[in-house]
Amino acid sequence: MPAHESLPPQDSKAGLARSAGTVSGLTLVSRMTGLARDMVFANLFGAGAAADAFNIAFTIPNVFRRFVAEGAMSVAFVPVFTEYHTNRSRTETLELFNVTFSWFSLILSIVCGLAIAASPLLVRLFAPGFESDKFELAVYLNRLMFPYLFFVAMTSLLVSILNTHRHFAAPAAGPILLNLAIVGSALTLHENLDPPITAMAVGVLAGGVLQLALQWSVVRAFGVRLKFSFTRGHPAVRRMLLLMGPAAFGMAVYQINILVSRALASLLPEGSVTYIYYSDRF
């Protein structure tokens, strides 16, 4: 179908209904596997020092994820991608995809590198009550898991491209792969790694890679071949940056709440951070 054409109203409505049903079903499966993931985590690690360290270490890249991935993609990337996909030529649209892919991957790589180097400062900010071994474990796990930010943010970029093609199944299935990867890693590796909680971090990384691989394969099936193109001054990229500002400000309010709650919990008796995590998940 040419980029400038749209589906007939009846087909559009039927397609929307099918997509809604697919997303709803996959979201339900995602929630079920998420519950299984938390049950496995609770059964293996309970609510002790290791669990606290993992939850802080995993919270930090997730906070960054909500800034650079979820907020940016939903508010900035998707509308601009859709406008190009609908009203511009395929060549212009692919150029935009490539430029965005290139600059976003570079920025993410820099952010991840800086965050890994600054892990002790980040852990101290999110968990000022952690000391000695607990603090060192949180720093170690955070450094190990921070590349997850790159994988999940790039996944969000590919999801934005898929949304412009009206494909929603693979994006909805992505979190299922993350949950299954964490469950599988925790069950099979916790007795072979030291400390055992490292198995959870390995699962997070594996889940990030699997999510990215899934979206990449579907994007390629739509004929999109991403390649590096660091063109400067692309007008659509400037529009995205302008849209990302207000989105980041709005996301900051909720992230401050997470930061404060985790910081206060770290000052309480051992296990408090994990208790907050469990309650928040439910």
Side-chain angles (χ1 to χ4, degrees):
M1 177 180 294
H4 64 275
E5 293 184 7
S6 60
L7 291 174
Q10 63 271 23
D11 292 342
S12 179
K13 291 180 180 179
L16 180 62
R18 286 194 298 269
S19 297
T22 300
V23 171
S24 297
L26 290 172
T27 300
L28 176 60
V29 176
S30 173
R31 295 296 182 265
M32 294 172 64
T33 56
L35 177 60
R37 166 184 134 190
D38 290 333
M39 291 172 67
V40 169
F41 178 59
N43 182 59
L44 294 178
F45 305 107
D52 282 354
F54 171 80
N55 282 316
I56 288 295
F58 194 28
T59 294
I60 296 172
N62 270 310
V63 167
F64 279 81
R65 171 179 63 85
R66 293 185 180 102
F67 273 115
V68 302
E70 293 176 353
M73 300 304 168
S74 61
V75 176
F77 287 15
V78 172
V80 177
F81 282 170
T82 302
E83 190 272 331
Y84 263 68
H85 181 67
T86 304
N87 301 319
R88 306 294 183 95
S89 68
R90 180 172 177 79
T91 300
E92 290 177 298
T93 302
L94 290 177
E95 179 187 5
L96 174 60
F97 289 165
N98 288 328
V99 171
T100 307
F101 166 77
S102 302
W103 283 108
F104 196 58
S105 61
L106 176 61
I107 293 171
L108 282 171
S109 298
I110 294 173
V111 169
C112 287
L114 292 175
I116 290 172
S119 282
L121 297 177
L122 292 172
V123 171
R124 186 62 69 194
L125 176 65
F126 277 79
F130 281 11
E131 298 179 355
S132 59
D133 292 345
K134 193 174 181 179
F135 173 79
E136 294 298 330
L137 178 58
V139 171
Y140 166 71
L141 292 174
N142 183 63
R143 283 176 166 162
L144 182 60
M145 284 190 289
F146 217 95
Y148 166 77
L149 172 65
F150 178 87
F151 298 130
V152 74
M154 292 305 296
T155 295
S156 296
L157 174 62
L158 298 184
V159 165
S160 297
I161 295 175
L162 290 177
N163 286 342
T164 66
H165 288 81
R166 301 182 181 180
H167 179 86
F168 307 102
I176 299 174
L177 295 180
L178 174 65
N179 292 329
L180 292 178
I182 294 176
V183 169
S185 179
L187 291 176
T188 58
L189 299 179
H190 77 279
E191 294 182 348
N192 302 313
L193 297 177
D194 185 27
I197 195 72
T198 306
M200 293 290 296
V202 172
V204 169
L205 288 177
V209 172
L210 289 174
Q211 288 186 94
L212 181 58
L214 172 63
Q215 311 309 325
W216 188 278
S217 65
V218 179
V219 164
R220 288 181 63 85
F222 277 97
V224 179
R225 299 292 186 266
L226 295 173
K227 59 183 180 180
F228 289 108
S229 175
F230 292 97
T231 303
R232 297 183 180 182
H234 195 290
V237 174
R238 290 200 298 268
R239 283 175 54 196
M240 292 179 190
L241 293 174
L242 291 174
L243 291 171
M244 286 172 62
F249 178 79
M251 294 296 295
V253 176
Y254 180 65
Q255 305 316 310
I256 290 174
N257 179 55
I258 293 177
L259 171 62
V260 172
S261 65
R262 298 299 189 272
L264 292 176
S266 73
L267 300 170
L268 298 175
E270 188 172 285
S272 297
V273 171
T274 303
Y275 292 142
I276 286 182
Y277 167 80
Y278 287 145
S279 64
D280 181 61
R281 290 287 289 173
F282 277 117

